[in-house]
Amino acid sequence: MSDLLDRYEGGAESPIAYPDYDGFIDVAQMDKFVRELRDVERRGGIRITRGRGLKSEQIKHARLESPPLLYELLGRRPVGQLMEAATGRLLEGLELPVQFETSLDALRSAWSRGREWQGFSLDDADRLRPAFVMAKAIFEQRHVGLDYRTFSRRFAGDSKALERLEGPVVRLLSGLVEVPPAARPRDALRTLGLEKFAPPILLSGRLDFDVAELSAAAPRYFGIPPAEAERLRFRERPEYVLTVENFASFSRHLMEADPHRVGITIYVGGYPSLATQSALKTIATALPANIPFFHWSDIDPDGTWIFRTIERAIARELKPHLMSVDLADRLGKLPADRTRLPTGTMPSAMSDLVAYLRRDDAKWLEQEELDPKLPPANAW
């Protein structure tokens, strides 16, 4: 009977259960089971169907007729009531912005059918509550300037809470803020500014750093804390600035395409963190408006997301480098799974590629498949 209610709560309108006669210990246990089912049938809770021929006295299956009666007989509360109680504990004293309603509806729908939401059942409401608290704080921009653990401790009372709840937090924010379409939750949080500590940003070019004349030492590349980008000095006018998603492509570009460092090449570390985005803005602001900026990524939804993110960060024209519909069509491969593309209507040099990637026959291309080359000299 519990199985009937489980399936009823899972969405079956009139579920049927079949007795497992092989599972009974002895005949006495089987007889007790049959008597109980017949008693519930007399009360109107179930309808029994018997077998045929030699099995005409044997119960073939039982169909649920009156869920309220079975709840009463089993002393069990309907899952809808349990869901309301659980969401009440989850949201007690927490005034969520209206934008969270879609996620709440999905959670209520799952819990009202006895299913999990993001791996959490209705018995886990207390464990899930900090995810809603932290997602609300991020949506309201109260995480800005805080590192990963400080934020977690301040808003969840536990420095490791965000680490345990990254998935639900990012799921709650999806659609409310723009995050990478296929990123791991931790990478998505990095793009919003939540990371344990920002990794160094890697640069190559005829650059100095404060009083250090790195251009004279001519390292292939060097790293600085993103927050110290304002200490960079440009020894001479660069021919271009190129940001690169992939480290292998960044390294190959320096060795094969620009060994003389005529431009500035920057490795953004995959999905650029908020600190990296801020450093790129600092660099863009410091350079004349007629120096062209380029970005080189994979030709796929994440590549277009990274391009659009850098484009917003630098607040100046950004051109795609080795990222075109023609390259994808000639050299790319059809993906196994499609991924959500960036949303929004901002004008972008990536618009044509985004439109192409929305097609069912669109191909994707990893940037490592291409040999590096200098951006065009007449790009501006």
Side-chain angles (χ1 to χ4, degrees), residues 72-179:
E72 181 183 349
L73 291 173
L74 295 175
R76 173 170 164 173
R77 293 175 65 190
V79 71
Q81 293 180 15
L82 296 174
M83 179 271 292
E84 291 296 341
T87 52
R89 294 197 310 275
L90 179 73
L91 302 175
E92 185 177 2
L94 183 61
E95 295 183 7
L96 286 178
V98 66
Q99 290 89 342
F100 284 82
E101 280 302 317
T102 299
S103 292
L104 279 173
D105 288 345
L107 178 143
R108 289 189 179 101
S109 176
W111 282 4
S112 67
R113 298 195 305 275
R115 298 178 182 173
E116 294 183 344
W117 181 83
Q118 296 295 302
F120 290 82
S121 71
L122 52 78
D123 293 327
D124 299 321
D126 294 331
R127 290 199 303 120
L128 183 59
R129 177 180 166 85
F132 280 78
V133 174
M134 290 186 287
K136 178 177 184 285
I138 294 169
F139 180 70
E140 294 172 345
Q141 295 289 301
R142 289 188 285 162
H143 68 293
V144 175
L146 300 178
D147 67 84
Y148 187 98
R149 292 246 167 117
T150 300
F151 169 81
S152 183
R153 185 179 66 251
R154 184 169 298 179
F155 288 94
D158 178 352
S159 64
K160 296 185 178 179
L162 181 56
E163 202 165 337
R164 295 192 298 270
L165 295 166
E166 289 170 337
V169 168
V170 172
R171 182 69 187 86
L172 288 167
L173 291 169
S174 296
L176 308 186
V177 297
E178 192 166 10
V179 294

Side-chain angles (χ1 to χ4, degrees), residues 5-20:
L5 287 180
D6 287 344
R7 283 189 283 138
Y8 171 73
E9 292 176 346
E13 185 175 347
S14 185
I16 294 173
Y18 294 84
D20 179 16

